[in-house]
Amino acid sequence: MGNFEEWNHILLITDESGSLLSLASREALGKGRELADALGSYLWLYWEGEGAPTGGIALGADRVFHKARRNASLGDRVDSLAEVIRKHRPEIVIAPHSDGMIGLLGRLAQRFETGLLTDCVGLEIDTAERLLVAVKPWYEGKLLSEWIWPKRRPQIALVRQGVFPEPFEDPGREGIVEEI
């Protein structure tokens, strides 16, 4: 098994909806906050797009990496995100499930030689091993399977919209916004 001591914290990648977080991103953010609390780590948010990303902090993020994007190519987006991951080494990366995210995170998983699980309906933490336990449905939801990444980092999962509750907004919550 690899040495993962330098990998820590959770990174959530948003799918932008104008200058606001989409419903799917807000739901994923709520679950990400829960997972970060279980690990005793920070929740980071990667936000591409226009507008002020401070809404992510009010919803639970400790730090927001913001990249103003104007028609960036998929390759440029993967490069930018890969640079954030190389520099900060999050142990878990989650994002809302969408066609665009499958393309983006599929390439990212390939670059880091790790796995990607799409359409997750459950995420939990094995705190003893610091492993993400992701649940994926099969056969129209009649069968559920659990997946883990014991030998690779980051652990990458895309979550289904409508499965997790939205977090409550705390306008007084403080965090850091870093422009990249």
Side-chain angles (χ1 to χ4, degrees), residues 16 27 34 36 41 94 98 113 135 164 166 170 175 180:
E16 174 195 356
E27 292 170 355
E34 180 185 316
S41 56
I94 59 176
S98 68
E113 297 180 352
V135 178
F164 303 113
E166 284 185 72
D170 178 2
I180 56 171

Side-chain angles (χ1 to χ4, degrees), residues 31-47:
K31 188 60 178 181
R33 175 78 266 158
E34 180 185 316
L35 297 173
D37 289 344
L39 285 170
S41 56
Y42 292 116
L43 175 61
W44 298 329
L45 182 67
Y46 181 86
W47 181 317

Side-chain angles (χ1 to χ4, degrees), residues 2-118:
N3 180 6
F4 301 124
E5 291 176 8
E6 69 273 6
W7 294 84
N8 201 356
H9 309 302
I10 296 175
L11 178 64
L12 172 74
I13 303 164
T14 65
D15 61 342
E16 174 195 356
S17 179
S19 63
L20 302 173
L21 287 172
S22 69
L23 174 60
S25 290
R26 291 192 312 269
E27 292 170 355
L29 188 55
K31 188 60 178 181
R33 175 78 266 158
E34 180 185 316
L35 297 173
D37 289 344
L39 285 170
S41 56
Y42 292 116
L43 175 61
W44 298 329
L45 182 67
Y46 181 86
W47 181 317
E48 288 181 336
E50 304 306 318
T54 54
I57 292 170
L59 291 170
D62 298 300
R63 184 178 199 174
V64 176
F65 299 103
H66 179 241
K67 180 172 177 72
R69 174 177 51 114
R70 295 187 192 273
N71 301 323
S73 71
L74 180 58
D76 290 341
R77 293 178 67 206
V78 171
D79 290 344
S80 175
L81 189 51
E83 181 60 31
V84 169
I85 290 174
R86 272 191 206 95
K87 182 177 179 182
H88 298 284
R89 301 180 78 77
E91 62 188 310
I92 297 171
V93 174
I94 59 176
H97 180 94
S98 68
D99 290 341
M101 284 294 173
I102 291 170
L104 178 65
L105 293 183
R107 285 167 178 80
L108 193 68
Q110 185 178 31
R111 191 169 287 189
F112 285 93
E113 297 180 352
T114 189
L116 165 66
L117 190 62
T118 62

